[in-house]
Each structure stands twice: as C-alpha cells, then as structure tokens.
Amino acid sequence: MRKLVVDALEELKAKDIREIDVRGKTSIADLLVIASGTSARHVKSIADEVVKFAKKAGVMPLGVEGEQEAEWVLVDLGDVIVHVMLPRIREFYGLERLWTVGDREPDMDAANAG
C-alpha cells in the first residue's frame, strides 16, 4: 500500500513527500504519508489520484475528509493515512514534528553524548 500511495503522489507531482512510521505510537494506522500541493486544486487532484490508485488496487478508502476546502485533504486507507496539504497549512499544524517527537537518529545520540 505504501508504494501505491507514493506512486499516486508522484504521478501528480506532489511536493515534499514524507513517510512517518507510527506503529507503536497509535493504533489508528501503521504509516502516515504527508505531501504538499501547490494550490487547493492541486491538493484535491492529488488526493483524488490516491483514491483512484487505491480503488484500482482493490482498496476502498475508509474515508476522505477536507475535499470541499482542499487546503488539507485526508485519505484514510486503513493502515496508511495520507495527508495532502497546502504548504502553509502543513507548516502551521506541523504533523511531522507532532508524530516524530522523541524520535532520534542513532547518530544524533552519539554526537550529542560527545
């Protein structure tokens, strides 16, 4: 499912695609995929493409939220949740920071210790 989602995002030139493994942090999903669009129309088109790719693969989305305003569209594919946002909305809500608090790269721990 991860590859399918990334392929759909890349198909419509989504910007700054980021995957966050949330296993062990929440029971709602295993993976969050966050991407940006350049306009509300682009955000909606990207989300529509994700839905289209999922349906072609036989996966029916559990829900799609935010299509009306299309500043932030969430596509719930069960184990994978896709967030497509305008850059200003993405920066304001900071989902990457929220879901990676406390995560550290092993090299960073060593560098900070010395």
Side-chain angles (χ1 to χ4, degrees):
M1 182 57 64
R2 183 201 68 74
K3 177 161 178 22
L4 177 130
V5 166
V6 172
D7 288 349
L9 294 170
E10 290 175 347
E11 180 81 16
L12 282 184
K13 311 269 190 272
K15 308 286 185 201
D16 195 19
I17 300 167
R18 176 98 190 267
E19 300 173 37
I20 303 171
D21 185 340
V22 293
R23 289 176 290 191
K25 295 180 183 180
T26 182
S27 60
I28 63 168
D30 292 338
L31 183 70
L32 298 181
V33 180
I34 304 170
S36 295
T38 57
S39 67
R41 178 173 282 179
H42 190 214
V43 167
K44 182 166 179 4
S45 295
I46 293 167
D48 289 346
E49 191 74 1
V50 170
V51 169
K52 185 173 93 179
F53 269 56
K55 286 181 178 178
K56 268 198 231 175
V59 176
M60 288 301 296
L62 300 176
V64 179
E65 300 289 331
E67 288 179 298
Q68 196 74 6
E69 295 82 17
E71 292 184 340
W72 176 357
V73 180
L74 179 146
V75 181
D76 185 348
L77 299 171
D79 290 338
V80 178
I81 296 177
V82 183
H83 298 271
V84 186
M85 310 167 142
L86 290 174
R88 65 180 170 76
I89 300 297
R90 185 173 177 172
E91 185 177 334
F92 181 80
Y93 286 99
L95 294 183
E96 289 98 333
R97 289 186 309 276
L98 176 71
W99 285 102
T100 58
V101 168
D103 290 354
R104 292 190 133 174
E105 299 284 330
D107 296 334
M108 293 298 290
D109 288 338
N112 290 335

